[in-house]
Amino acid sequence: MKIEAVKKLLEANVLTEGEGLDTEVLSACGCDLMSDVLAFVKNQAMLLTGLVNLQVVRTAEMMDMKAIVFVRGKEPSKEIVELAKEMKIAILTTSYPLYIACGKLYSEGLCNN
């Protein structure tokens, strides 16, 4: 699924315009514990989280993730967005809770393989 499709499905705002919206993600991980992300994430994944700090971006970069979706209407700081741009990671925000956002993606065929 392309990040652009994720944007539409989750009615999300993109805070890093131009950062890989045509990029394909093969799986998603919904998690607030970055240690679990490090343990379970697969390649070309997207992270959905309610945790809003710089460590989220650093963890995503370490795991070669292509996008981060902040759920529950959480808004990352300018510093977080700038770091993501430097690392070429798309940042999206959605008002959906984590459970619903993951369910919507799953129902469209995106899963954690």
Side-chain angles (χ1 to χ4, degrees):
M1 177 181 290
K2 293 194 182 224
I3 295 172
E4 180 68 37
V6 171
K7 173 189 170 191
K8 290 176 184 167
L9 184 64
L10 297 181
E11 301 171 28
N13 294 318
V14 178
L15 304 182
T16 52
E17 281 299 334
E19 286 303 329
L21 293 182
D22 60 341
T23 301
E24 189 83 20
V25 288
L26 303 178
S27 63
C29 175
C31 191
D32 288 341
L33 294 172
M34 294 303 103
S35 58
D36 283 352
V37 174
L38 293 170
F40 300 112
V41 167
K42 309 277 193 283
N43 287 339
Q44 288 185 289
M46 174 177 50
L47 176 62
L48 291 92
T49 187
L51 184 64
V52 183
N53 63 37
L54 288 170
Q55 195 60 31
V56 171
V57 178
R58 291 189 178 106
T59 301
E61 192 271 334
M62 185 183 309
M63 300 307 294
D64 196 30
M65 296 179 119
K66 308 301 180 193
I68 301 168
V69 179
F70 291 105
V71 298
R72 297 190 302 274
K74 299 283 185 105
E75 290 288 333
S77 67
K78 184 177 179 180
E79 187 178 24
I80 292 171
V81 174
E82 289 303 317
L83 181 60
K85 284 181 182 178
E86 287 175 27
M87 296 180 173
K88 301 201 182 313
I89 297 171
I91 298 286
L92 296 87
T93 63
T94 183
S95 60
Y96 287 114
L98 182 61
Y99 181 78
I100 300 296
C102 289
K104 284 180 165 287
L105 294 170
Y106 182 81
S107 71
E108 292 296 317
L110 193 64
C111 61
N112 187 2
N113 294 324

